[in-house]
């Protein structure tokens, strides 16, 4: 396996590529942050399900992709904060994604949550990605 300098970017790219190739399932090396991102994607209906598979190493995260009428439930998945350029935003600076139709996933001191939840709680953090 190749060394990946941006594991979250790699994870998001795997999801994008799997949707474009019309796969039903995609797997990626697991981490707590990736599991938190998968939980939010499932909660908002962008994926059907996810499961953590123990492999006596770091584990594997298996996502079951969701299609609505033959079209991917997820249209756009964009990495915002990258290893070379971290992007942080306060609660007031978190803007709605696509006029509120999409979500931003934010890593805060209170855990990983959507931009809507972070605004509601009045906390900011690192903007990981936007989903539409």
């Amino acid at each position: 396996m190749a060394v990946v300098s941006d594991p979250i970017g790699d994870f998001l790219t795997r999801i994008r590529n799997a949707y474009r190739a019309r796969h039903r399932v995609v797997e990626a090396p697991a981490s707590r942050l990736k599991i938190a991102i998968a939980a939010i994607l499932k909660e908002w209906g962008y994926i059907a399900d996810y499961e953590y598979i123990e492999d006596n190493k770091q584990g594997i995260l298996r996502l079951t992709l969701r299609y609505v009428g033959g079209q991917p439930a997820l249209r756009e998945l964009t990495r915002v904060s990258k290893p070379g350029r971290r992007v942080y935003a306060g609660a007031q600076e978190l803007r709605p994604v696509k006029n509120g139709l999409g979500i931003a996933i934010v890593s805060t001191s209170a855990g990983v949550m959507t931009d809507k939840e972070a605004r509601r709680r009045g906390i900011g953090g690192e903007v990981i990605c936007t989903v539409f």
Side-chain angles (χ1 to χ4, degrees), residues 7-124:
I8 300 304
D10 175 68
F11 176 61
L12 300 177
T13 299
R14 284 175 191 237
I15 296 171
R16 264 194 310 271
N17 290 345
Y19 266 119
R20 285 198 182 117
R22 296 283 198 250
H23 290 290
R24 233 179 61 68
V25 172
V26 61
E27 292 182 349
S31 74
R32 287 200 308 264
L33 180 57
K34 291 177 193 173
I35 291 169
I37 291 170
I40 290 172
L41 291 176
K42 180 181 180 202
E43 178 188 336
W44 283 82
Y46 291 110
I47 61 172
D49 203 4
Y50 70 95
E51 65 176 316
Y52 172 76
I53 300 159
E54 185 61 59
D55 68 348
N56 296 323
K57 289 188 267 256
Q58 79 178 76
I60 296 168
L61 186 58
R62 179 180 293 153
L63 305 175
T64 306
L65 304 181
R66 182 169 174 257
Y67 295 90
V68 180
Q71 295 300 310
L74 188 148
R75 288 192 206 133
E76 201 176 282
L77 186 59
T78 311
R79 180 81 159 118
V80 176
S81 190
K82 301 177 170 90
R85 183 175 181 271
R86 298 288 183 197
V87 177
Y88 298 93
Q92 296 77 29
E93 296 151 20
L94 287 168
R95 294 281 150 243
V97 178
K98 304 276 186 186
N99 289 326
L101 296 174
I103 59 168
I105 298 177
V106 185
S107 178
T108 69
S109 55
V112 179
M113 61 186 73
T114 64
D115 58 324
K116 293 174 169 82
E117 177 70 12
R119 272 195 306 274
R120 190 181 67 74
R121 291 194 191 181
I123 51 179

